[in-house]
Amino acid sequence: MSAALPALDAVAVVPVRGGGLPPGADESAAEAGAAALLVGDGTEAARARLGSARTAWTMEAPLPDAGVLAEALAPLLARVHTVLLPASPDGRDLAPRLAVALDRPLLAGAVAVSGQGAEVLRHGGRQLVELAAAGPFVATLLPGVRGAEPARGEPVTHRVEAGWPDAPGGTETLGTVAPGPGGTPLPQASRVLGAGAGLGGGAAVGLLARAGRALGASVGATRAVTDQGLLPHDRQIGTTGVVVDPDLYLAFGVSGAAQHVGGLGSPRHVVSVNTDPHCPMTAMADLGIVADAPAVLAELVRRLEAPHE
């Protein structure tokens, strides 16, 4: 066991709940030079899933008030220049408190991080801003924007313990309620259904929401759909919308314009339903269904909602 982490250029702080990794954990570890500190409950199980970290430290503890956790982590991270957290709910909660505890600036919503600062998205994701830091800093990295390769070399893991402050935290956690998969914000969703111009009007978009509930998927759209008011603009996937990185992207009537594809990250599996067999989305899909998107969606919903015998 160790009282503090060594002097490092960067380390990713990864909050862990029930042995599960938050969205963006692998990307944050990769961006931090394959070094990560996992803190929470089930950190050993989470460490086994964190393929992008060559060196990791695990701190087993229930996630308390974020302010208390920040005070406990600050001495461990005092010699680390860049402290990087995934911009997951726990990461966004912890990062500003950790920045205060370390007396450092916070560069939030980064799409790339270096030792000198970060590139961050501002104005609803429509502008990329370069922020420089004169010294050590804390940053959050948006999930789905960087990707992560498995770390090379033999993985090394150390256990650490922290000293907990005597003063109680400013908030009391009564319980944690995880959203259903269909209610997961798009950047964190593992399954995404996409609505394109070829899907048609509001009735078809309503069917897509029903399919999403049945499949545990979040619903996104192209700009053509959000501009019509069929879905709110926070559902727009693309370089001027949100960035996703799902395990499954199921696109209905999506042509695959560069602006939209630029926000897809690196989906593990892509299914395209489109009447055009040569459209970019079908060309990049693992499975291309050349058919009428509204008709395929209606049949999918019928089968998903049919009583099971």
Side-chain angles (χ1 to χ4, degrees), residues 109-233:
V111 297
V113 178
S114 69
Q116 292 73 46
E119 296 178 358
V120 302
L121 290 176
R122 293 291 183 263
H123 307 295
R126 295 186 297 273
Q127 184 177 4
L128 186 65
V129 179
E130 293 187 15
L131 299 180
F137 62 94
V138 177
T140 58
L141 183 70
L142 294 175
V145 298
R146 296 294 282 170
E149 295 289 337
R152 297 180 179 178
E154 191 68 23
V156 177
T157 302
H158 311 276
R159 287 193 62 194
V160 295
E161 289 185 350
W164 297 96
D166 296 330
T171 60
E172 179 184 358
T173 301
L174 301 179
T176 303
V177 179
T184 304
L186 277 172
Q188 301 164 26
S190 61
R191 297 177 181 177
V192 175
L193 305 185
L199 187 56
V205 172
L207 280 177
L208 195 65
R210 287 165 58 184
R213 287 191 292 271
L215 293 171
S218 292
V219 173
T222 64
R223 182 169 183 172
V225 173
T226 59
D227 281 351
Q228 292 180 61
L230 298 175
L231 282 171
H233 282 282

Side-chain angles (χ1 to χ4, degrees), residues 18 22 67 75 78 103 125 161 170 212 244 263 280 289 300:
D103 192 22
E161 289 185 350
V244 299
I289 301 173
L300 175 63

Side-chain angles (χ1 to χ4, degrees), residues 268-283:
R268 262 60 73 196
H269 304 286
V270 177
V271 178
S272 172
V273 183
N274 203 296
T275 54
D276 182 2
H278 305 295
C279 70
M281 184 56 67
T282 299

